[in-house]
Amino acid sequence: MSPDFPGLDQGARIAILGGGPAGTLCAFMLQKMAREAGKEFDIVIFERRDFRAFGAYGCNMCAGVISSVFINSLSALGIAIPEKVIQREITGHCLETKAGGLRMAKDPGVLIYTVYRGIGPPGLEFDKERSFDFFLLRTAIEQGVRCVNTQIRNVRLSRGQPGGPVTVELEDGSYEADLVVGAFGVNSELCGVFEKLDFGYRRPRTEKACLAEIPLPEDFVSRGCRDEIKVFALGIPGVRFGAITPKRKHVTVSLVGKGVSRSTLEAFLMHPRVKAHFPDGWEPPSEYCMCFPRLPVSAARRPFHDRIVIVGDANISRYVKNGIESSLFTARAAALTVAEKGVTRNDFRSHAVRECRSRYYVDNAFGKVLFALNDVISKYHLLASSHLFVARKEQELQPKSRGLNRVLWNIFTGDAPYVEIFKKSLGPTLQARLLRELARTAWRRIWRGNRNAEEELS
């Protein structure tokens, strides 16, 4: 279906609230399709942050890992990520458990990049063009989108005029919009602003995370980290999993869990299996950039209204993974709905929201089950060691026979839907291998225990 924007007239005013990936890509696609339809709109991105600034003011609180799916989706839009924006090209993942480690190399042709959502942490010198979010924002601006660096104070619906324009109140004026795209993110105060409107929006439920930017010598990041993302499932109380993501002159340490705090982070960094991935004799610096963003673990309620649609993780996102990719998907669903269907609440409910829910809602339920199972396996050494043994033995087999390796790879990279991962994890061959090794491991422990008891008696 060709875009004709049935709900917007020539010269319509579109406000994009937020200049992260969801907002900039939605603006880019709307502008691109408008020109294809021979229409001119005033599309304005309102963003308070400056993505060319160091530290918190220019950062979007994200580990910054992008996969082949996202890279290919950008290519389909005619957007190529410049080399200077890429911090590292990832070669694989290293999983660390209580029972030991497992290295998993990526398949040939698979691309995984790390990027930084601003320029970098304070104290590190970077070219301002390295900011990933600034690159996307500049791409939208080059397409003809405007960007206004300002604080959004409030949003007001038209009184006595159902379906009328929406007013965005700014720190230095206001903007009356024919369409508002909420791309502000689940950590934004704007969630509360939209919850106070009378159309029933409620932000997603969230789980606490911790991100820390730890400076390291650039040669160590390249050599010592092996260009791998380190994933830690160590059964630490309050921590579901942790990760170390290599950048250029630092690494991003990520923790997800209900009880994460600064003390949790420091205890994690000093764990022997974590510290082994830092230089010999390394100690955490006294000061480093750190934040505690919230991760969405459910879908928002009613993220739409007449002339209003919410995109990104303030709407719905893949469970604890692929936030940038989810932003693109929700932005595209909204842009296509505006271009091909209209801007009423029924248009958004029947198309944009339905498409996003069909992709993520049920799949996220399977993701929660998979991560809950991972929590159990990580907690008990017997389960962790048997799984690790099977995964290591699989690496001696042909790639198509590496069932557990594929399950682990896909869980921690997000390269497959959770429902597919769940089905593969229940494969009879894999389950037989796991049960057999679990029985062997348990028997060896019982035998060793009995033997030690006999030696103590003799």
Side-chain angles (χ1 to χ4, degrees):
M1 182 181 295
S2 60
D4 56 5
F5 293 87
L8 297 175
D9 297 328
Q10 181 78 5
R13 293 155 63 88
I14 301 175
I16 311 288
L17 311 187
T24 54
L25 290 171
C26 188
F28 176 90
M29 288 182 279
L30 285 171
Q31 183 74 306
K32 192 169 186 284
M33 289 186 288
R35 289 183 173 174
E36 291 173 0
K39 293 192 173 184
E40 288 291 333
F41 299 144
D42 181 37
I43 303 177
V44 186
I45 296 172
F46 295 101
E47 172 57 61
R48 67 179 178 83
R49 282 186 291 261
D50 181 357
F51 299 124
R52 295 167 295 179
F54 286 97
Y57 186 63
C59 180
N60 233 335
M61 297 184 295
C62 175
V65 181
I66 56 178
S67 67
S68 287
V69 174
F70 180 79
I71 296 166
N72 293 336
S73 297
L74 284 189
S75 296
L77 293 172
I79 302 174
I81 302 175
E83 186 177 347
K84 65 172 61 177
V85 172
I86 299 167
Q87 297 271 325
R88 291 281 166 189
E89 182 174 348
I90 298 302
T91 60
H93 280 63
C94 176
L95 173 63
E96 288 283 2
T97 72
K98 281 185 172 182
L102 176 72
R103 283 198 155 82
M104 296 175 286
K106 68 178 183 180
D107 292 336
V110 171
L111 291 176
I112 305 174
Y113 296 150
T114 66
V115 297
Y116 195 75
R117 302 290 301 278
I119 302 174
L124 297 180
E125 295 298 326
F126 281 111
D127 181 346
K128 293 186 177 183
E129 297 298 311
R130 293 197 186 282
S131 170
F132 177 71
D133 281 31
F134 180 68
F135 156 68
L136 290 180
L137 181 59
R138 185 183 60 204
T139 301
I141 292 171
E142 290 172 351
Q143 189 74 10
V145 174
R146 292 196 294 133
C147 179
V148 177
N149 189 238
T150 187
Q151 179 80 34
I152 300 166
R153 299 297 189 189
N154 197 14
V155 175
R156 290 188 291 104
L157 303 179
S158 296
R159 292 183 178 180
Q161 187 181 357
V166 180
T167 301
V168 180
E169 295 181 358
L170 309 169
E171 61 183 352
D172 51 358
S174 63
Y175 184 86
E176 191 173 86
D178 300 296
L179 170 66
V180 169
V181 179
F184 39 79
V186 75
N187 287 284
S188 172
E189 294 177 356
L190 286 176
C191 285
V193 170
F194 276 76
E195 286 176 336
K196 291 177 182 177
L197 300 177
D198 63 0
F199 63 87
Y201 172 73
R202 293 294 179 270
R203 76 190 79 187
R205 295 191 306 276
T206 58
E207 188 168 299
K208 196 174 182 181
C210 175
L211 294 178
E213 312 294 353
I214 308 295
L216 288 173
E218 190 169 357
D219 62 339
F220 178 83
V221 177
S222 178
R223 172 182 46 81
C225 293
R226 301 189 181 187
D227 290 337
E228 295 174 328
I229 295 175
K230 320 291 185 181
V231 180
F232 299 87
L234 300 172
I236 299 173
V239 179
R240 303 205 70 180
F241 66 90
I244 297 177
T245 304
K247 302 298 175 63
R248 286 182 181 265
K249 301 178 182 178
H250 72 285
V251 295
T252 301
V253 178
S254 313
L255 298 182
V256 176
K258 294 182 179 179
V260 293
S261 63
R262 185 184 184 105
S263 59
T264 310
L265 171 67
E266 291 176 350
F268 173 81
L269 291 173
M270 296 307 292
H271 191 286
R273 291 205 172 275
V274 178
K275 201 171 179 182
H277 293 281
F278 287 88
D280 293 339
W282 177 85
E283 296 291 334
S286 58
E287 295 183 3
Y288 48 87
C289 197
M290 179 174 56
C291 62
F292 296 92
R294 309 293 302 190
L295 297 180
V297 295
S298 72
R301 179 174 174 263
R302 292 183 65 85
F304 57 88
H305 190 56
D306 292 327
R307 300 186 182 276
I308 295 176
V309 62
I310 296 172
V311 298
D313 64 7
N315 174 355
I316 193 170
S317 182
R318 193 163 196 255
Y319 183 68
V320 304
K321 285 287 173 186
N322 304 88
I324 300 175
E325 180 186 320
S326 302
S327 294
L328 171 58
F329 187 87
T330 57
R332 180 168 52 205
L336 287 172
T337 299
V338 172
E340 299 176 355
K341 303 298 180 182
V343 295
T344 69
R345 72 186 78 182
N346 288 331
D347 294 326
F348 291 128
R349 178 197 295 117
S350 301
H351 300 283
V353 174
R354 177 174 292 179
E355 185 175 352
C356 294
R357 292 286 177 94
S358 66
R359 183 179 179 98
Y360 295 116
Y361 195 80
V362 173
D363 196 59
N364 281 348
F366 283 92
K368 293 176 183 179
V369 172
L370 286 168
F371 277 94
L373 291 172
N374 181 70
D375 292 345
V376 174
I377 295 168
S378 302
K379 186 177 180 181
Y380 297 102
H381 193 282
L382 178 65
L383 292 173
S385 60
S386 59
H387 278 69
L388 188 63
F389 180 86
V390 170
R392 285 172 173 169
K393 293 298 289 184
E394 280 185 351
Q395 292 185 349
E396 301 172 5
L397 305 175
Q398 294 295 323
K400 65 179 181 180
S401 300
R402 300 175 186 173
L404 183 55
N405 278 262
R406 297 312 306 169
V407 167
L408 292 171
W409 176 269
N410 288 328
I411 285 176
F412 291 111
T413 63
D415 280 357
Y418 286 130
V419 64
E420 290 184 12
I421 302 170
F422 185 79
K423 289 177 180 177
K424 288 181 180 178
S425 70
L426 296 180
T429 301
L430 174 56
Q431 287 300 313
R433 288 174 181 167
L434 290 171
L435 289 172
R436 184 167 57 247
E437 183 54 33
L438 179 62
R440 287 177 179 174
T441 303
W443 172 251
R444 283 194 295 267
R445 294 195 175 187
I446 294 171
W447 182 79
R448 288 171 185 167
N450 291 337
R451 185 173 179 180
N452 290 338
E454 290 175 0
E455 289 176 352
E456 289 177 4
L457 291 171
S458 58

